[in-house]
Amino acid sequence: MPAVRRLVPLVLALSSSVFAAQIGTIPPAESLTATRVAALPAGSRPAWADYVARSDAQRAADRAALAAERDGLATLPPPPAGGHGEASMPLDKPAAWYGSDAALRVAGNILSFQTPAGGWGKNQPRDQPPRLRGQAFVADNNSKRATPGDYDLAQNPLWSYVGTIDNDATITEIRFLARVAAQLPGEAGEPYRQGAQRGVAYLLAAQFPNGGWPQVWPLQGGYHDAITMNDDAVVEVMELMGVVARGDADLGFLPASMRSAAGAAEARALQLLLTMQIRIEGRPTLWGQQHDPLTLLPASARNYEPPALSSSESARALIYLMSLPGPSPAVVEAVQGGVATLRALPVRDRAWVKVDEAQGRRLVERPGAGPLWARYYDMKTLRPVFGDRDKSLHDDVNDISLERRNGYNWWGTGPAKALAAYDAWAAKWVKTP
């Protein structure tokens, strides 16, 4: 990719504070609304209009279900506790453990917090007590730092992330329930099989007409409506759809019709993944942290997360593509382009470290260190970009506030795993002239 190679000296230069400057302001992501859908070409309008209408109806049904539970209660239960949800649902235990009392407590808690739509919230330990009548379906996920106008401020503070794929939510619950059900054949395992099946049905219902998935469904608005590559959410749903289609990971009990639908869902998502890959000078490069569901362009998220290409999420997408059996020419081209871009971008002889309490984390010179990749790159120039909580966009990480430098992983080694896997994959699938 000649265009990318020419950019490398500029990328290195921009790591010096000599060139630091605010280069822009991070705009808000657009919600997926009926108004936007009405502006689509006539041919694609009906599918999107139906999707938005289904989302609105399901949100109303979810809220009505909670309101019905609360009818007649003198006192409402407090919201459930937040915390590290995924750690409470281990998926790497010996098979027999999933029939233990400890696993059944987690599974029972999972079932109690399943939303009427069939999904689950995030950041919620599943080894805590089960949900009470009238209790919120999800823990309080509202940002404690949000102020008026903040992109992370929930439109409804009492209804946020009610069904999500963020932070491995819903995906992990489905997989855990399937493991438990496998240890309980017959009637004893039926509630867990039904819970997993409802979870898969939820993901199928949440899929966009073009094959992507929003971060939150029913739709919540703002960046939550975007096709969410962040934290590998869409890729992990795609992988789960493949698992369901094959009947792997203890999910073989699902109906044949659902398994077929899951295979079709993965195929649509794969085509979308290839379409969303940003091209520079005609060559495929990387993906954004999230993409607008209609334009497919990278979109903003939180105040400091710009519409840009994301190295870590792109690396995870490449690992998924390299896992596919018999990759098509389009998949091979996507992998080659993505790997070439990642190979051209890292800085060396730099370290991302905490200097001291006053200076916090900074990118500093350190001979022999690296390679390091920036989290975000401009989608046209491939220059590293960095956002701050005040929505300002910068070309040097050392130029942003101490709070954001300390609170976000702006530089990292995430792409290294994808690059390490590439040579063996290429030896099998890339034809040499």
Side-chain angles (χ1 to χ4, degrees), residues 342-364:
L342 289 176
R343 282 179 169 170
L345 291 178
V347 297
R348 290 175 170 82
D349 300 318
R350 302 286 195 281
W352 174 238
V353 295
K354 180 178 179 179
V355 177
D356 53 38
E357 289 297 330
Q359 298 184 74
R361 298 173 80 183
R362 301 182 71 85
L363 188 67
V364 300

Side-chain angles (χ1 to χ4, degrees), residues 227-272:
I227 298 168
T228 302
M229 302 288 287
N230 190 30
D231 292 333
D232 311 321
V234 161
V235 169
E236 290 183 357
V237 177
M238 293 172 68
E239 289 175 335
L240 179 61
M241 291 295 108
V243 167
V244 170
R246 295 187 300 273
D248 294 342
D250 298 317
L251 285 162
F253 65 85
L254 293 171
S257 59
M258 177 169 279
R259 292 173 57 182
S260 177
E266 184 188 20
R268 289 195 302 274
L270 172 58
Q271 183 57 53
L272 178 73

Side-chain angles (χ1 to χ4, degrees), residues 69 140 156 184:
E69 284 188 11
D140 180 4
N156 183 341
L184 300 171

Side-chain angles (χ1 to χ4, degrees), residues 1-8 280-281 285 340-341 344-345 382:
M1 298 181 71
V4 173
R5 282 198 294 270
R6 288 198 298 269
L7 286 169
V8 172
I280 297 177
E281 296 184 356
T285 61
T341 305
L345 291 178
L382 292 180

Side-chain angles (χ1 to χ4, degrees), residues 46-91:
W48 285 98
D50 175 71
Y51 182 91
V52 171
R54 285 193 299 106
S55 171
D56 291 345
Q58 186 62 64
R59 187 189 313 107
D62 289 357
R63 293 185 181 183
L66 182 59
E69 284 188 11
R70 290 177 168 178
D71 187 31
L73 292 181
T75 304
L76 297 182
H84 194 338
E86 187 180 11
S88 67
M89 298 175 283
L91 300 177

Side-chain angles (χ1 to χ4, degrees), residues 105 126 144 149 207 234 258 330 335 371 388 400 433:
R105 281 195 298 272
R126 301 303 183 190
K144 304 303 183 289
Q207 188 176 32
V234 161
M258 177 169 279
V335 172
D388 214 335
I400 66 175

